[in-house]
Amino acid sequence: MLQVKALQKSFDGFLAVNDTTLNVEKGDVVAVIGPNGAGKTTLFHLITGQLAPTSGSILFKEENIAGMLPYLVCRKGISRSYQVVNIFNRLTVFENVQVAVLSYRKKTFNIFQPAKTMAVSETRKILGSVGLLDKSEMTSGSLSHGDQKVLEIAIALGNRPELLILDEPTAGMSPEETAVTLRLMERLSGELGLTILFCEHDMGMVFSIASRIMVMKQGKSIIQGSPDEVRNNQQVREAYLGGADQCST
Amino acid sequence: MILYNALFSKKTIIIGIVLLVAFLLLPYFLTRFYIYLLALIFAICLLATSLNMVLGFGGMYQFHHAVFYGFGAYAFALFVTKSGLPIWIGYVIAPFCSALLGLVLGLITVRLTQLYFGMLQLSLGSLVWAITYRWYSFTGGDDGIHGIPIPDLIGSSTGAYYFNLIVTAACLLLMYIIVNSPFGRTFQGIRDNPERCEAVGINVQRQQLVGQIIAAFFAGIAGTLFVTIEGSVFPDLMFWTFSMETLIMCLLGGWFFFMGPALGAVIIITVRTFVGIYTEYWTLILGLVLMLLIFFLPEGVLSLFFKKDVPSEKKEG
Amino acid sequence: MEFATNISLASLFQQVLVGLSRTTILFIVASGLSLVLGVLRIPNVAHGSLYMVGAFMTYTFASLFGQSALGFWLALTVAPLGVALISFLVERSLFCHLYEREHMMLLLFTFAFSLVIGDMVKLIWGSDYRSLTAPLFLQGSFSISGFPFPRYNLFLLMMGPLVAAGLWFLTNKTKIGKIARAAAVDREMVGAIGINVSGVFAAVFVIGCYLAGLGGALVAPTQNITQGMDHAIIIEAFLIVIIGGLGNIWGALLGALIFGLTDSIGILLLPQFAIVFPYMAVVIVLIFRPKGLLKSTW
């Protein structure tokens, strides 16, 4: 579904992503792991169009989307959440998700219908599936951090993505919230059949959910394989897992 | 109409009707001066609310909104004095001229964001002002145009009052519907987080361009209302300081409330009129009030009455 | 070019020289604005008002000495310092509490400040215009191939590079300049390494406003000193800063040159629309380079 080939991104000569290769098949749950500064977030920014790559190609369903503007990438069927909470602070939880649903339905230039009556059932369904339905009338800026992170995912679901990209979905969450989010991701993958690409520092979580894992270090992709392959790979053990203890804390 | 039930609570409808009836009856109790003043307030309410559509609900740094207002007023004045066609047509054409200006300026400015957007708009608006100010043979230069004929029906001060009241009320209703439409909802999303809007598939620049055009359209209507009362136009209508005053109205009333800017306009125009009788240092007072407002009441007067659990303002990168 | 037939080379040359001396004033004012905008992120609408205050103060100080040469030089020194003092007091008492607010709020706050200054000037100096004459040896003009060129404009032409050199020295060679440049790029980082950012901001603000005052002082003998001169210059200064690139001092110089020269060429070609020429130049620049000609600091 998604093939990243020989991708490079340099900032004033500094190679944040250098010769990265990544393969995501339909139905996969792929985790990208690596120490801080390995280029994981930059890689996601490149895929979803927030940044334009210096060179290399990103094929999504056989189409090169490298350098495409974010809103066009989204319309191709890729949605994402952010590492740092990135929601519509002054809107209610309901409205946050509704904006994405309205965008998906191409209603953003409709100026006469009352928005309150539109896309209600779908929005509520999404909120129900992530467990935010009872908070739907709260202003999103006043939610707890954990709930805001969940809302991040809910907004991304509003576009009915085929590929869902989650940038550290459990960052800053309590262990209970992490467990809930983990179950949510399992459901999204299992019940909805979503393809998920995510990065995460919590190794326990990564190895419990990911069907494939890609390891990045200093902008390079070292290896991509099944959890067992990655766990047993000598190079990974030396290069990365030795430092994983620090990262996961 | 059933469609719009969701937008209006019973309370809103009742308050709206009471206000409308009160305003319809008011001219029987007021002197000519107050009728004139209220008619002016209506026009400025419409202007401030149209500004707030892009400012408070769209997060666009609309620094020079008055240029669309002045442009509408001039378009009307020039049409009426030069074309010889029926005056009523001018009322239809002028807002579209403003919308067209909104499109042209918007095409250049929406490529930028925040402060850059605002300052570029300030520059382009000033260019429009400069041309108007200098083009004596066409716009009358700094003298402006006076004695613009108004249809007899609304030529009297009471007639102008009713005309402005009805047009303003209709436009406010329309803008309220727009603000609560999917377009308005998307616009509020862009205000809060343009980056995220891009990521959910919204073409932010096009959305802002359309918002700009709509706001300019309503500002143009406000401009024609001004001409209806005054019968004249002059370059100060599109001078940047007037844009700033309009921004102050939005701030004063509360730019996260639909009716905030209108309230701000009422307060500013009223206070200016009456303070102006006693002192020529009105702007000194306005400046001091504005400073206090920014320090102590940055969300406007209405935030005193309608407390929302809104997160405090955040500066964006 | 057809229009060139009735414009002699000499008059063009003279117009360009006059344009350049106007450029000097614009550059001095705009560079101050750019400095404040680039480092503090404040779109200071009151900048023009401070320029006006500078001009009025120059008039007052010079008049104290009966508009003598000594008085003129003294006024030229003291008036900008007076403006700097005002800005220092205002920054420490008001602005420093607002740095974290939205740009919109900052803009409106400086607008409020400009309203207050405007009326204070009216209170202190009244509504009449004032005029000031330059010292004798700067009066009159000398001729360039038959066309008179005012001596005072020559003096202005010399001040421009002086101020530019001073600003270059300040931003590149002094500690405060280096910190300010770093703070313009990443304010939090500079604060995190233990530098008193607030103090640096105050200094930059005061220097920027000093330049507004200096511009006002220098312009005083060339035109009537009136209410409303603040509104005229501030938009021009903003335009210059935008086409130059926000926060870039050399951009301000380039912008002022474009502005001053198109203005003077406009006066030659179409006097009635002279004011439109620089605005058109700005629009053309911005259509192709919406973020200005030179690299902005942000």
Side-chain angles (χ1 to χ4, degrees):
Chain A
M1 184 181 243
L2 180 79
Q3 282 106 28
V4 174
K5 281 180 200 151
L7 198 66
Q8 272 202 1
K9 175 68 190 178
S10 81
F11 295 105
D12 293 331
F14 168 73
L15 284 168
V17 168
N18 183 12
D19 195 19
T20 293
T21 303
L22 171 69
N23 247 307
V24 182
E25 294 301 327
K26 193 163 173 49
D28 270 357
V29 176
V30 179
V32 176
I33 60 171
N36 281 326
K40 303 183 296 288
T41 296
T42 309
L43 173 65
F44 287 180
H45 280 329
L46 290 169
I47 295 171
T48 54
Q50 268 83 20
L51 294 171
T54 312
S55 66
S57 69
I58 304 166
L59 296 179
F60 180 65
K61 297 193 288 187
E62 321 293 297
E63 184 185 357
N64 192 358
I65 58 164
M68 200 179 260
L69 289 170
Y71 73 90
L72 293 173
V73 173
C74 172
R75 289 177 190 180
K76 297 280 171 210
I78 303 181
S79 279
R80 68 168 298 182
S81 78
Y82 289 78
Q83 184 180 349
V84 181
V85 170
N86 206 355
I87 56 178
F88 309 112
N89 261 327
R90 288 179 178 275
L91 300 188
T92 65
V93 171
F94 177 84
E95 289 165 345
N96 264 270
V97 178
Q98 194 193 22
V99 165
V101 178
L102 290 172
S103 160
Y104 175 76
R105 296 188 177 180
K106 305 227 179 309
K107 298 283 187 201
T108 61
F109 289 105
N110 179 333
I111 58 172
F112 289 118
Q113 234 174 320
K116 264 189 185 166
T117 62
M118 299 173 69
V120 175
S121 58
E122 181 168 354
T123 305
R124 290 180 66 86
K125 207 177 108 199
I126 292 171
L127 286 173
S129 72
V130 300
L132 281 176
L133 196 52
D134 52 331
K135 292 175 181 147
S136 67
E137 290 311 312
M138 279 174 76
T139 307
S140 65
S142 57
L143 289 179
S144 71
H145 176 80
D147 283 342
Q148 289 183 339
K149 288 291 284 187
V150 174
L151 181 58
E152 273 284 324
I153 301 175
I155 295 172
L157 291 175
N159 288 88
R160 290 202 206 162
E162 293 170 60
L163 171 64
L164 180 65
I165 297 182
L166 305 175
D167 193 348
E168 297 198 22
T170 65
M173 279 189 175
S174 68
E176 296 79 32
E177 289 168 333
T178 303
V180 170
T181 307
L182 190 61
R183 280 200 298 280
L184 170 64
M185 286 172 67
E186 279 167 355
R187 271 208 325 273
L188 292 176
S189 157
E191 293 169 19
L192 296 175
L194 273 178
T195 312
I196 298 177
L197 172 65
F198 73 107
C199 75
E200 188 53 68
H201 279 304
D202 184 334
M203 285 308 129
M205 178 189 165
V206 167
F207 281 96
S208 69
I209 187 172
S211 61
R212 297 185 69 78
I213 295 174
M214 190 266 254
V215 185
M216 276 184 95
K217 193 196 171 200
Q218 290 173 357
K220 281 197 169 84
S221 51
I222 305 178
I223 178 187
Q224 183 175 3
S226 68
D228 283 338
E229 283 169 2
V230 169
R231 196 181 282 126
N232 297 327
N233 182 290
Q234 196 55 37
Q235 208 186 347
V236 175
R237 286 183 162 263
E238 282 171 14
Y240 175 64
L241 288 184
D245 303 337
Q246 304 162 2
C247 293
S248 57
T249 49
Chain B
M1 259 349 267
I2 300 162
L3 197 59
Y4 294 113
N5 279 351
L7 287 188
F8 305 100
S9 66
K10 266 213 177 84
K11 210 168 120 199
T12 323
I13 296 172
I14 292 169
I15 292 174
I17 291 174
V18 168
L19 270 180
L20 198 64
V21 170
F23 279 126
L24 284 172
L25 294 176
L26 263 179
Y28 296 103
F29 307 102
L30 295 177
T31 61
R32 239 187 103 186
F33 172 73
Y34 285 100
I35 293 174
Y36 157 82
L37 186 65
L38 274 173
L40 178 67
I41 286 176
F42 293 148
I44 306 297
C45 279
L46 176 53
L47 172 68
T49 309
S50 73
L51 166 61
N52 200 50
M53 256 180 71
V54 282
L55 178 76
F57 291 94
M60 291 166 78
Y61 278 21
Q62 188 90 342
F63 286 175
H64 208 341
H65 193 61
V67 79
F68 303 113
Y69 171 74
F71 198 78
Y74 265 93
F76 177 75
L78 289 169
F79 176 85
V80 169
T81 53
K82 310 249 166 186
S83 77
L85 292 169
I87 300 168
W88 290 107
I89 300 177
Y91 282 105
V92 180
I93 287 187
F96 283 100
C97 291
S98 284
L100 188 67
L101 184 71
L103 170 70
V104 172
L105 297 196
L107 279 175
I108 305 173
T109 50
V110 294
R111 293 183 295 167
L112 303 177
T113 56
Q114 298 250 325
L115 197 52
Y116 263 110
F117 169 89
M119 305 225 318
L120 186 52
Q121 189 184 56
L122 205 52
S123 322
L124 294 171
S126 298
L127 170 68
V128 176
W129 168 81
I131 295 172
T132 313
Y133 188 75
R134 284 292 163 147
W135 199 353
Y136 284 94
S137 56
F138 188 59
T139 64
D142 56 357
D143 298 330
I145 303 168
H146 300 278
I148 300 158
I150 303 297
D152 289 335
L153 181 64
I154 56 173
S156 68
S157 60
T158 319
Y161 172 91
Y162 282 120
F163 181 68
N164 283 10
L165 173 64
I166 291 163
V167 172
T168 301
C171 288
L172 289 186
L173 190 66
L174 215 52
M175 281 193 270
Y176 185 74
I177 290 172
I178 293 175
V179 161
N180 285 291
S181 70
F183 175 83
R185 185 62 41 85
T186 310
F187 226 44
Q188 289 167 51
I190 294 173
R191 170 195 69 200
D192 282 5
N193 195 339
E195 185 199 6
R196 187 65 200 242
C197 276
E198 289 268 340
V200 297
I202 293 163
N203 185 345
V204 170
Q205 292 190 3
R206 183 170 303 167
Q207 207 81 26
Q208 288 182 327
L209 182 62
V210 172
Q212 175 94 103
I213 294 169
I214 296 175
F217 181 84
F218 284 109
I221 296 179
T224 64
L225 296 188
F226 177 82
V227 183
T228 308
I229 327 162
E230 293 284 341
S232 54
V233 290
F234 33 85
D236 272 5
L237 288 180
M238 48 173 101
F239 197 53
W240 65 272
T241 51
F242 185 55
S243 287
M244 293 290 147
E245 278 183 37
T246 321
L247 281 173
I248 296 173
M249 292 169 194
C250 296
L251 177 73
L252 175 64
W255 51 35
F256 297 114
F257 301 93
F258 181 77
M259 287 308 286
L263 178 66
V266 172
I267 297 174
I268 297 248
I269 303 280
T270 315
V271 176
R272 180 174 70 194
T273 308
F274 293 106
V275 171
I277 297 171
Y278 300 105
T279 170
E280 58 174 315
Y281 298 107
W282 148 248
T283 53
L284 179 72
I285 295 166
L286 179 63
L288 293 174
V289 169
L290 181 54
M291 285 185 178
L292 291 174
L293 212 59
I294 290 171
F295 267 104
F296 300 109
L297 200 58
E299 305 223 326
V301 175
L302 283 183
S303 68
L304 287 175
F305 303 102
F306 303 94
K307 208 73 197 148
K308 284 187 179 176
D309 56 339
V310 171
S312 60
E313 61 168 283
K314 249 193 217 166
K315 192 160 180 162
E316 287 184 37
Chain C
M1 286 187 282
E2 290 169 49
F3 52 79
T5 49
N6 53 7
I7 298 165
S8 72
L9 207 62
S11 70
L12 181 71
F13 181 64
Q14 187 216 9
Q15 241 346 295
V16 166
L17 277 181
V18 171
L20 279 177
S21 38
R22 179 157 164 65
T23 296
T24 308
I25 302 286
L26 289 174
F27 163 65
I28 292 171
V29 176
S31 62
L33 185 65
S34 191
L35 201 63
V36 173
L37 201 49
V39 179
L40 283 77
R41 309 281 154 94
I42 298 180
N44 186 6
V45 175
H47 203 71
S49 311
L50 293 168
Y51 159 88
M52 176 169 74
V53 171
F56 272 103
M57 277 186 162
T58 308
Y59 166 82
T60 300
F61 284 122
S63 301
L64 280 180
F65 293 85
Q67 303 215 356
S68 64
L70 174 73
F72 176 77
W73 293 117
L74 213 61
L76 212 54
T77 322
V78 176
L81 289 176
V83 171
L85 181 67
I86 295 172
S87 67
F88 176 74
L89 295 176
V90 173
E91 199 278 341
R92 284 292 89 181
S93 58
L94 300 173
F95 278 107
C96 63
H97 304 294
L98 294 170
Y99 288 141
E100 291 310 312
R101 305 288 282 273
E102 287 166 3
H103 293 312
M104 181 67 82
M105 289 290 184
L106 289 170
L107 179 95
L108 283 175
F109 195 83
T110 60
F111 180 64
F113 185 36
S114 85
L115 290 178
V116 172
I117 295 178
D119 265 2
M120 295 294 266
V121 167
K122 214 198 295 181
L123 268 172
I124 296 170
W125 282 283
S127 313
D128 302 334
Y129 71 82
R130 306 296 166 96
S131 55
L132 175 67
T133 43
L136 256 185
F137 77 99
L138 286 177
Q139 285 175 16
S141 34
F142 53 92
S143 81
I144 297 167
S145 48
F147 285 89
F149 185 69
R151 284 179 198 209
Y152 191 79
N153 286 26
L154 189 71
F155 167 66
L156 285 182
L157 277 183
M158 292 187 298
M159 286 302 290
L162 215 62
V163 171
L167 272 177
W168 175 82
F169 184 80
L170 183 81
T171 48
N172 289 290
K173 296 288 165 193
T174 63
K175 194 175 161 215
I176 199 166
K178 285 174 186 167
I179 296 172
R181 277 195 303 155
V185 178
D186 192 340
R187 181 182 307 185
E188 274 150 35
M189 197 59 197
V190 173
I193 57 174
I195 290 168
N196 177 2
V197 182
S198 170
V200 173
F201 277 13
V204 170
F205 188 77
V206 169
I207 292 166
C209 294
Y210 170 85
L211 288 168
L214 183 64
L218 285 171
V219 88
T222 66
Q223 65 172 72
N224 288 332
I225 305 163
T226 63
Q227 304 279 323
M229 62 191 285
D230 51 347
H231 292 327
I233 191 120
I234 186 66
I235 289 293
E236 295 180 354
F238 265 124
L239 292 172
I240 288 166
V241 170
I242 293 174
I243 58 173
L246 293 192
N248 189 318
I249 302 293
W250 303 115
L253 182 58
L254 187 61
L257 272 173
I258 293 173
F259 209 90
L261 290 181
T262 47
D263 191 39
S264 54
I265 290 167
I267 291 171
L268 273 183
L269 294 178
L270 259 179
Q272 191 199 344
F273 286 103
I275 190 175
V276 175
F277 277 75
Y279 282 91
M280 285 307 288
V282 170
V283 172
I284 291 166
V285 167
L286 290 178
I287 286 173
F288 294 103
R289 303 275 310 224
K291 291 217 160 185
L293 292 166
L294 301 185
K295 197 171 182 293
S296 132
T297 51
W298 15 324

